[in-house]
Amino acid sequence: MRQTRAVVDLWNRWLAAARAAGARPDPDTTGAGEQVIARWREPHRHYHTLAHLTAVLDVVDQHADLAARADVVRLAAWFHDAVYDPRAAGNANERDSAALAESVLTGLGVPAPTVAEVRRLVLLTAGHTVTPGDRDGALLCDADLAVLAAPPARYDRYAAAIRQEYAHVPEPAFRAGRAAVLTGLLALPALFRSPPLASRWEEPARDNVRRELAALTGEPENAG
């Protein structure tokens, strides 16, 4: 694997997160990190790439004080889209990513309760529904959805990258499916659950989502 500076930085972040969660400090941990990074570099990815992983990790690091166990949230971030097949149905990617996390982390000697918590957090990213008081789930989901609150030009690049990942889907079907996803997001009581993040990101995110939805459906934006 070509070791760019960004990849080396991520590799070091992986080692730190895995060891903080109880992984053995041996060559297996290094090898597992390389395998996970390789998944994020798969050629069919256009948005769910190392750049997305880095962005999620950056949010977690910047707001680690919001988490109960930031090390566990970091590991969940590493695995939350480690399996990503745009042709998969339903929440298969999240379920397979959670299973991968369980297998890899168990093999590295991470304690079973921590492995179970990483698995739980990864599965939350399927619907981004978090129960009150779940600080770790809130931070992971907020970090995963942070792009929704990006400036409009960056949001548009994100939306275009998603379309590239679904290039195999005909335009009418993509518009319908993507509109359903966006409508589901708008139906959530809140896109962001961590109060410091929600206060800054909720309205810009909803504005972006409504704008994309209007472009997909041809209907005017509304305040819903």
Side-chain angles (χ1 to χ4, degrees), residues 179-197:
V181 169
L182 298 176
T183 299
L185 287 172
L186 290 174
L188 291 172
L191 293 171
F192 304 103
R193 282 79 172 184
S194 303
L197 304 181

Side-chain angles (χ1 to χ4, degrees), residues 87-181:
R87 297 174 185 267
N91 64 354
N93 284 323
E94 290 82 6
R95 287 188 285 106
D96 289 347
S97 293
L100 178 67
E102 183 175 32
S103 174
V104 170
L105 296 177
T106 299
L108 295 178
V110 174
T114 299
V115 173
E117 177 65 359
V118 171
R119 179 183 175 86
R120 182 189 74 84
L121 292 172
V122 171
L123 290 172
L124 283 181
T125 64
H128 299 96
T129 300
V130 180
T131 58
D134 184 359
R135 294 165 54 194
D136 291 345
L139 181 57
L140 178 64
C141 288
D142 286 358
D144 190 28
L145 294 181
V147 68
L148 300 183
R154 183 181 163 209
Y155 180 93
D156 291 345
R157 290 193 295 273
Y158 145 73
I162 293 293
R163 182 64 182 106
Q164 284 183 280
E165 290 182 339
Y166 286 86
H168 60 282
V169 178
E171 186 67 14
F174 175 80
R175 284 177 173 266
R178 180 66 177 166
V181 169

